[in-house]
Amino acid sequence: MQSKDFFVSVLKAAALSLIFGLCGILIFALIVKFAAPKESVIKTVNQFIKVISVFLGCFFALKGKAGIVKGGIAGALFTLILYAVFAIMSGLSLFSLEMLIDIGLTAIVGAISGVIAVNMKGKE
């Protein structure tokens, strides 16, 4: 039963992260359409959207124990799903050094958020 709860919790966090991420991407796409920022700004904001999405998804979805592990897996899963969707849509390769760096970054952010989430919810 515990392993089921573990995976359900991770999937909820990854799904919630995807929802936050897609909302952030859509809002930023509107801004890009009207403001036409530089490519470096777009990359930086996209990275920020990923980090915030994973943080919020893990923060709101995770509870119980093993927040660091759940959050790390949820962050990595978020990035894998995001890259798979965009690779399918664009026809580009799924695997790249940039993807591995993003997986590492979102796993770290997820782990940190998971620790914060389980410790804050444990004190309520």
Side-chain angles (χ1 to χ4, degrees), residues 3-33:
S3 65
K4 180 184 175 192
D5 292 340
F6 179 91
F7 288 110
V8 168
S9 186
V10 168
L11 290 175
K12 281 182 183 178
L16 197 53
S17 297
L18 283 167
I19 291 168
F20 283 122
L22 292 174
C23 289
I25 290 168
L26 288 173
I27 291 167
F28 186 56
L30 286 172
I31 294 169
V32 167
K33 182 174 178 161

Side-chain angles (χ1 to χ4, degrees), residues 14-119:
L16 197 53
S17 297
L18 283 167
I19 291 168
F20 283 122
L22 292 174
C23 289
I25 290 168
L26 288 173
I27 291 167
F28 186 56
L30 286 172
I31 294 169
V32 167
K33 182 174 178 161
F34 295 110
K38 294 180 183 177
E39 183 71 26
S40 62
V41 172
I42 293 173
K43 286 186 178 217
T44 303
V45 173
N46 280 335
Q47 213 49 26
F48 180 75
I49 290 170
K50 286 182 217 171
V51 166
I52 292 299
S53 299
V54 169
F55 186 87
L56 291 173
C58 290
F59 184 79
F60 289 116
L62 297 180
K63 59 184 176 190
K65 296 182 180 182
I68 193 168
V69 177
K70 291 176 186 175
I73 294 170
L77 184 61
F78 161 81
T79 302
L80 283 171
I81 294 169
L82 201 62
Y83 266 84
V85 168
F86 284 108
I88 291 168
M89 288 173 40
S90 67
L92 298 175
S93 173
L94 176 62
F95 296 103
S96 68
L97 179 59
E98 183 181 341
M99 182 192 79
L100 293 175
I101 292 169
D102 276 352
I103 288 173
L105 174 68
T106 54
I108 291 168
V109 170
I112 292 168
S113 180
V115 168
I116 293 169
V118 299
N119 284 314

